[in-house]
Amino acid sequence: MGRLPEGALMQRAAHGLAAAVADLLGATYGARVRLLVGPGDNGGDALHAGARLARRGARVEAVLLAPQVHAEGLAALLAAGGRVLEGAERERPDVVVDGILGIGGRPGLREDAVAALGAVEGVPVVAVDVPSGVDVDTGRLDGPHVRADLTVTFGTHKVAHLVDPAAQACGALHLVDLGLDVPPAPVEALQRDDVARLIPVPGPFDHKYTRGVVGVRAGSEQYPGAAVLCTSGAACGLAGMVRYVGSAADEVRGTHPEVVVGAGRVQAWVVGSGGSEGAGEALAAAAEDGVPLVVDADAIAHVASLGAGADVLVTPHAGELAALLGVDRADVEADQLGHARRAAADLGVTVLLKGRRTLCAAPDGGVRATTTGTPWLGTAGAGDVLAGLCGALRAAGLSSYDAGSVGSWVHGAAAQLASGGGPVVAAQVAAAVPRVVRDVLDGRPLS
Ligand SMILES: NC(=O)C1=CN([C@@H]2O[C@H](COP(=O)(O)OP(=O)(O)OC[C@H]3O[C@@H](n4cnc5c(N)ncnc54)[C@H](O)[C@@H]3O)[C@@H](O)[C@H]2O)[C@@H](O)CC1
Ligand SMILES: Nc1ncnc2c1ncn2[C@@H]1O[C@H](COP(=O)(O)OP(=O)(O)O)[C@@H](O)[C@H]1O
């Protein structure tokens, strides 16, 4: 679509914003709406939306947090019967609209903004475009910021919507389509249709070897269970066959009779889950085959020993990535995008940084964020299942970037399905993977 005049764009944004606020309120007539208005267009969006809500009978009041605010927006609000709040107001609003800072805002908030937010603590907040004060382009939180219940954004998702810790400050996300062409995003989020397109589906003449064999070198005397769980992820049916090499052969065979025990030809190896002290050796043995590697848990510490040119997907949690980079875990958690990108670029590998919002960072700078999942997935062995699943996708022919991001999307969706809002254990997540794949391919709701 062609270019639209600035004013028309703002009206579209205000329309979407007002509709989202009205939805949240349930009934607009008589509802009390407080706008926190900063100096820019973000404040203009809030003022125009406020004018629309006032015309629908809401009592709209604006707190002006800048000497100059969007003049047209303010005029529209006043003409619609809204008012500007001077001084303290005792009556609490039903909803707060955060129009303090938009995508051009610097991280942090000024004192007057912090005080205005403090006065409405506990009231639901709808953020315009992004919660004010978050770092829009990195997902970091440096200083005071808004914690929104709902963020209404326009055109396309921004980094802060997808990357923690900022993503968590957004609350629920609502995207208003402005009908514009949008440039490629620095961080993408795979949608269900993308996953359906990327999942490897066997053709009529495929057999187990053409579909790909995934090898698993995992487990130890200490952690035989990790070998079983990693194999469960690999044995999700997305590759033609699973091989297992390691000390937990009996446990693996007992749970998965279809798994072939012993070395042999594979299209990708998964190494390290529960590998303990033997993980370095297991990685070296796997690397001899020259096939793509998925490197998890205890093998991650040895990834630098792989020669340049090895095709590697590493799957660390924040603690493992911190150890790999020689920084504190808290630093990784505070800047997940920066550390995932840095590790991918410095080591020349694809990095799947696991967390609430798992990130898949390729050495060429591409990043995908996973939007499926549930906090119930934070359970022992869930990462082992994910490593196996990514290995199956890698063996079936996906690139490391696609295998990591699709694997993580499917893993999160399987956790949601298995959880249904309640607790899950890792084996249940693995067991739900085939159902997720079926539903995604069929285009039906996850069941
Ligand atoms: N069933 C199994 O066999 C399982 C095996 N696992 C394997 O266990 C190995 C170690 O994995 P981890 O990533 O857990 O690494 P660690 O067990 O080394 O734990 C990482 C860090 O978490 C902190 N920590 C540990 N226990 C804690 C506690 N109770 N409270 C607060 N902080 C605590 C410590 O600071 C520790 O350094 C990996 O090889 C992994 O694959 C896990 O996947 C869990 C399941
Ligand atoms: N709060 C959370 N919300 C969503 N997913 C989570 C959360 N915490 C952990 N996870 C997911 O659970 C899995 C845990 O993996 P990992 O830390 O390797 O555990 P383990 O080593 O026990 O298998 C990862 O896929 C991670 O993304």
Side-chain angles (χ1 to χ4, degrees):
M1 184 170 282
R3 287 173 65 85
L4 279 171
E6 201 67 1
L9 270 186
M10 192 171 275
Q11 286 306 331
R12 278 192 192 179
H15 173 77
L17 177 60
V21 173
D23 267 0
L24 187 116
L25 282 168
T28 312
Y29 192 83
R32 191 157 188 160
V33 179
R34 184 167 307 173
L35 314 175
L36 304 183
V37 181
D41 284 355
N42 196 248
D45 292 337
L47 287 163
H48 277 296
R52 286 169 182 264
L53 292 164
R55 286 202 292 272
R56 290 168 65 170
R59 292 184 293 156
V60 184
E61 57 205 23
V63 177
L64 306 186
L65 293 165
Q68 296 262 304
V69 298
H70 196 274
E72 243 180 62
L74 183 58
L77 177 70
L78 297 175
R83 65 186 182 117
V84 171
L85 208 57
E86 313 274 0
E89 168 70 48
R90 277 209 308 273
E91 211 182 318
R92 282 165 77 75
D94 298 305
V95 68
V96 170
V97 177
D98 158 31
I100 307 170
L101 295 170
I103 51 174
R106 279 200 304 276
L109 289 176
R110 286 189 351 203
E111 263 172 39
D112 55 347
V114 173
L117 284 163
V120 289
E121 229 172 272
V123 177
V125 177
V126 178
V128 184
D129 228 354
V130 285
S132 299
V134 306
D135 192 331
V136 182
D137 298 323
T138 66
R140 294 174 59 125
L141 295 175
D142 294 322
H145 60 87
V146 168
R147 214 160 250 298
D149 296 276
L150 171 68
T151 295
V152 180
T153 191
F154 312 107
T156 182
H157 289 123
K158 324 297 183 294
V159 171
H161 298 137
L162 299 174
V163 174
D164 272 335
Q168 231 209 324
C170 294
L173 269 183
H174 177 68
L175 181 68
V176 176
D177 185 1
L178 295 179
L180 295 175
D181 293 332
V182 287
V187 174
E188 299 176 328
L190 286 181
Q191 303 298 307
R192 199 191 149 106
D193 288 353
D194 302 317
V195 174
R197 193 172 36 79
L198 287 165
I199 281 177
V201 176
F205 300 107
D206 266 321
H207 54 75
K208 61 180 185 280
Y209 293 126
T210 56
R211 292 185 62 199
V213 178
V214 54
V216 175
R217 291 181 184 261
S220 55
E221 294 293 319
Q222 195 183 357
Y223 300 122
V228 175
L229 291 167
C230 183
T231 309
S232 300
C236 57
L238 287 168
M241 185 172 124
V242 183
R243 282 190 173 279
Y244 174 77
V245 177
S247 59
D250 290 343
E251 290 88 340
V252 166
R253 241 188 310 240
T255 318
H256 295 290
E258 71 277 16
V259 171
V260 176
V261 170
R265 209 173 138 203
V266 300
Q267 275 64 50
W269 280 109
V270 186
V271 190
S273 314
S276 254
E277 283 82 31
E281 238 170 78
L283 184 61
E288 277 176 21
D289 285 348
V291 297
L293 302 170
V294 176
V295 181
D296 187 39
D298 304 311
I300 293 173
H302 304 278
V303 78
S305 70
L306 296 168
D311 183 333
V312 180
L313 170 66
V314 279
T315 57
H317 54 57
E320 287 159 345
L321 187 61
L324 190 64
L325 294 174
V327 300
D328 289 340
R329 182 180 184 133
D331 294 336
V332 172
E333 284 170 344
D335 183 9
Q336 300 174 25
L337 181 62
H339 286 93
R341 275 195 173 135
R342 189 182 127 197
D346 289 0
L347 296 163
V349 300
T350 301
V351 175
L352 191 68
L353 172 57
K354 296 177 288 190
R356 189 189 79 100
R357 280 289 170 80
T358 294
L359 299 178
C360 188
D364 69 3
V367 180
R368 287 178 181 154
T370 305
T371 52
T372 56
T374 156
W376 292 108
L377 184 52
T379 181
D384 307 330
V385 170
L386 175 61
L389 171 57
C390 292
L393 290 166
R394 191 69 189 88
L398 297 198
S399 67
S400 287
Y401 189 48
D402 287 343
S405 49
V406 170
S408 171
W409 192 99
V410 169
H411 182 246
Q416 283 174 260
L417 190 61
S419 153
V424 274
V425 292
Q428 292 171 310
V429 177
V433 167
R435 271 192 296 150
V436 167
V437 172
R438 179 200 64 189
D439 290 348
V440 165
L441 291 175
D442 276 3
R444 35 178 165 161
L446 297 183
S447 57

